[in-house]
Amino acid sequence: MRALLVVNPAATTTSARRRDVLIHALASEMKLEAVTTEYRGHARDLGRQAAESDDIDMVVALGGDGTVNEVVNGLLHAGPAPDRLPGLAVVPGGSTNVFARALGLPNDPVEATGALLDALRENRERIVGLGLTSGTPGTEDEAVPDRWFTFNAGLGFDAGVVGRVEQQRERGKKSTHALYVRQVVRQFLGEPHRRHGTITLDRPGADPVEDLVVAIVSNTSPWTFLGNRAMYTSPKASFDTGIDVLGLSRLSTAAVARYGTQLLTSSPERGPHGKHAVSLHDLDRFTLHSKAPLPLQMDGDHLGLRTSVTFTGVRRALRVIV
């Protein structure tokens, strides 16, 4: 088997020595080419090259969720074709690793490498669905390029938090759970639309859902992890179905306390709920419109401000070695 290993040297939980050990372990089982990323978007470029190659069977992403997202967008630049395109394998090296953990992989990169080698020996793989975003026709965002996401996306409050975290990391701060909690508080204090939401969710054959402050889109569950604690916004979300949405129409102090507590105590059976929460399951397509530009995030990457985004759930989009 010929494989391309895409290595993010800035991955937060792997040292250079540890990465060398993982590379040697993988190279013992396959013909491996390892490439270290040098700029933002490099992993996407490498994924695209692998998709256009005739002799790459698998791409291994060694890094966090951002690296995985880039590789996936490169592999699927011309659309999904799981029977023809290289398979994807993941060795988690980030701070949270939601996609890898949602697939059932160990969070430790050494253990995950062992699990990957076992999967290859036993020919274990699955085909998963993904989410796709695109600019909405007839809006000022219609020319925004399509982009895939593997586990979640968000418009509004949670994307604002992601943007704040990215700013802190660019200033040299380490990505920690305490950093995220501080930015949640700062985003809440600075949120101008927390009592009167600007987002409308439109979907075919149903009445619009209006006045949302935040819309959290899930392609799988859990939504994310706080340390070892899984947090569920849409517990029914799955790689085998369409996409799910949790919308909140109020983020007052009392509402944040209530939904925050529900999120911390959420489970595979129940996520946040209540008078100002709406949960939608297994959707194929919908659009989020906002009266004011709001931040958008996908797989933990801040993508700037949007006023309209169309989401599509694409079943059987990607072959994953697990």
Side-chain angles (χ1 to χ4, degrees):
M1 174 179 284
R2 290 180 60 90
L4 172 66
L5 174 64
V6 178
V7 182
N8 180 0
T12 54
T13 58
T14 57
S15 63
R17 179 176 296 179
R18 203 176 198 195
R19 288 192 292 271
D20 285 343
V21 171
L22 299 177
I23 290 170
H24 284 299
L26 292 169
S28 68
E29 298 287 337
M30 63 191 77
K31 190 170 183 179
L32 186 72
E33 177 187 2
V35 180
T36 299
T37 58
E38 299 177 354
Y39 53 87
R40 186 165 187 170
H42 194 182
R44 180 196 61 227
D45 295 342
L46 293 169
R48 179 168 182 164
Q49 291 169 19
E52 294 172 346
S53 170
D54 294 327
D55 58 359
I56 300 295
D57 303 301
M58 178 176 67
V59 179
V60 185
L62 171 51
D65 289 312
T67 303
V68 173
N69 180 277
E70 285 195 14
V71 169
V72 167
N73 274 278
L75 284 172
L76 302 186
H77 77 280
D83 296 330
R84 177 182 59 81
L85 291 172
L88 173 72
V90 179
V91 177
S95 58
T96 311
N97 308 305
V98 180
F99 181 66
R101 294 163 84 176
L103 287 170
L105 291 169
N107 196 37
D108 178 81
V110 175
E111 292 183 14
T113 300
L116 169 58
L117 294 174
D118 288 343
L120 290 171
R121 296 185 191 111
E122 298 169 13
N123 199 28
R124 294 200 313 265
E125 61 184 32
R126 64 181 291 192
I127 297 178
V128 300
L130 297 174
L132 178 66
T133 64
S134 55
T136 307
T139 72
E140 61 186 58
D141 291 326
E142 66 179 333
V144 174
D146 293 356
R147 180 156 176 154
W148 298 89
F149 62 95
T150 64
F151 59 92
N152 78 37
L155 184 68
F157 184 86
D158 74 313
V161 173
V162 168
R164 289 176 179 272
V165 170
E166 286 191 6
Q167 289 177 348
Q168 294 299 311
R169 293 188 65 183
E170 289 171 358
R171 295 170 184 165
K173 298 290 182 64
K174 294 187 69 172
S175 179
T176 64
H177 300 299
L179 176 64
Y180 274 88
V181 171
R182 288 196 300 272
Q183 302 317 310
V184 167
V185 174
R186 289 173 181 171
Q187 180 67 25
F188 170 71
L189 294 175
E191 175 59 58
H193 307 296
R194 65 190 188 201
R195 291 185 179 275
H196 304 287
T198 65
I199 302 170
T200 296
L201 187 154
D202 281 325
R203 55 189 172 124
D207 293 334
V209 180
E210 300 179 326
D211 301 328
L212 299 176
V213 179
V214 60
I216 297 174
V217 184
S218 294
N219 184 54
T220 188
S221 62
W223 170 58
T224 191
F225 292 85
L226 188 62
N228 291 322
R229 179 187 292 276
M231 295 195 293
Y232 300 82
T233 55
S234 298
K236 294 180 181 179
S238 165
F239 287 125
D240 300 319
T241 63
I243 47 181
D244 288 23
V245 187
L246 171 69
L248 302 178
S249 58
R250 182 167 297 180
L251 283 182
S252 62
T253 303
V256 167
R258 180 169 61 254
Y259 294 130
T261 300
Q262 291 177 353
L263 191 57
L264 289 170
T265 58
S266 59
S267 70
E269 287 73 43
R270 194 169 200 190
H273 54 278
K275 179 180 178 181
H276 300 290
V278 58
S279 296
L280 301 173
H281 173 58
D282 194 13
L283 304 183
D284 291 324
R285 188 177 179 88
F286 62 90
T287 297
L288 297 177
H289 302 284
S290 175
K291 299 171 187 174
L294 293 177
L296 172 71
Q297 71 85 15
M298 279 186 274
D299 288 349
D301 271 353
H302 186 272
L303 299 176
L305 301 178
R306 301 284 192 275
T307 56
S308 187
V309 187
T310 295
F311 292 81
T312 305
V314 182
R315 291 168 169 81
R316 297 183 58 81
L318 182 69
R319 183 166 54 91
V320 182
I321 293 32
V322 288

